[in-house]
Amino acid sequence: KNQVEQSPQSLIILEGKNCTLQCNYTVSPFSNLRWYKQDTGRGPVSLTIMTFSENTKSNGRYTATLDADTKQSSLHITASQLSDSASYICVVMEGYSTLTFGKGTMLLVSP
Amino acid sequence: KAGVTQTPRYLIKTRGQQVTLSCSPISGHRSVSWYQQTPGQGLQFLFEYFSETQRNKGNFPGRFSGRQFSNSRSEMNVSTLELGDSALYLCASSGGRGGYTFGSGTRLTVV
């Protein structure tokens, strides 16, 4: 069964600190992996999309890595800000259109 | 370029009633997919429509149905509402190349 597991479930960090969120998947055939940021009560917003051949992609203070061999991805947030408080969801696409979602990591950035 | 528009934003219904949610995709996008998001289950795929045809379907009961119109706008209908149907319902539109843009969602509360 295709699965996407994220860790930790929740995380609290101080403003200005860095953090790394993890995503392990068993989706096959793999097409691409995305990280989304979702503010409470809003729809997810895409941060990065990586295909099999890409092992790192950045979007401002967000850097995602992908190891397709071990089926692991991470999202690193640098110099966190209060506005980074949100749920971060790892999503893996199988084939052309089937998405499998992780349950997300809830990040709280504390002043 | 306007984003994905979902209406209404909030909805309160009574058990046994039915509800219709609307999603207007980004102009030019022909694919619309629907998701249910609950705190315990995360995001779960309901169905996807492309050019007025259902292309993919998740594991939800037949009470959940949808359709897509010739202008790509989509509606989702839930009949005989149950308390467990309370959730954030999200739609996403895609113009191909694997990019999905989500709307802000409709928060449905069943009482």
Side-chain angles (χ1 to χ4, degrees):
Chain A
K1 181 183 174 185
N2 287 336
Q3 286 188 309
V4 176
E5 301 285 344
Q6 290 187 245
S7 62
Q9 268 190 317
S10 60
L11 184 62
I12 302 175
I13 61 173
L14 289 175
E15 186 179 11
K17 298 295 186 183
N18 303 336
C19 68
T20 299
L21 314 180
Q22 300 290 342
C23 173
N24 296 337
Y25 62 93
T26 60
V27 176
S28 181
F30 175 88
S31 180
N32 58 61
L33 183 146
R34 312 131 181 269
W35 283 94
Y36 282 88
K37 177 187 178 188
Q38 185 177 22
D39 293 315
T40 302
R42 310 294 295 183
V45 174
S46 180
L47 294 174
T48 63
I49 301 176
M50 287 185 292
T51 60
F52 184 88
S53 59
E54 297 173 296
N55 54 25
T56 187
K57 184 164 279 189
S58 292
N59 178 359
R61 295 179 297 101
Y62 301 99
T63 299
T65 65
L66 173 66
D67 185 334
D69 291 332
T70 61
K71 298 189 176 181
Q72 296 180 323
S73 176
S74 65
L75 180 69
H76 186 76
I77 304 174
T78 303
S80 61
Q81 300 175 358
L82 297 179
S83 59
D84 292 331
S85 295
S87 179
Y88 292 83
I89 303 171
C90 176
V91 186
V92 180
M93 175 176 274
E94 168 199 351
Y96 290 106
S97 64
T98 303
L99 299 178
T100 303
F101 294 84
K103 292 191 176 181
T105 292
M106 181 66 69
L107 174 65
L108 176 63
V109 180
S110 176
Chain B
K1 193 175 185 182
V4 178
T5 303
Q6 290 190 245
T7 56
R9 284 283 283 130
Y10 302 94
L11 206 48
I12 299 176
K13 290 286 188 177
T14 305
R15 273 181 298 176
Q17 287 186 312
Q18 75 163 17
V19 66
T20 299
L21 312 181
S22 178
C23 173
S24 293
I26 289 172
S27 179
H29 284 192
R30 296 164 65 188
S31 168
V32 174
S33 49
W34 287 89
Y35 305 86
Q36 181 194 67
Q37 187 176 35
T38 57
Q41 296 298 319
L43 272 153
Q44 296 185 87
F45 172 71
L46 281 156
F47 30 66
E48 180 194 10
Y49 286 87
F50 180 83
S51 293
E52 303 179 65
T53 301
Q54 188 179 88
R55 184 158 72 172
N56 215 346
K57 189 177 190 302
N59 294 322
F60 277 81
R63 299 185 297 107
F64 292 81
S65 63
R67 59 178 174 168
Q68 187 179 32
F69 302 96
S70 58
N71 61 358
S72 293
R73 189 178 72 85
S74 177
E75 288 183 347
M76 189 191 89
N77 184 275
V78 187
S79 62
T80 320
L81 283 166
E82 301 176 359
L83 295 178
D85 297 333
S86 295
L88 179 67
Y89 289 88
L90 293 159
C91 81
S93 79
S94 175
R97 296 187 178 186
Y100 284 75
T101 302
F102 285 85
S104 293
T106 294
R107 171 72 62 184
L108 172 65
T109 302
V110 182
V111 297

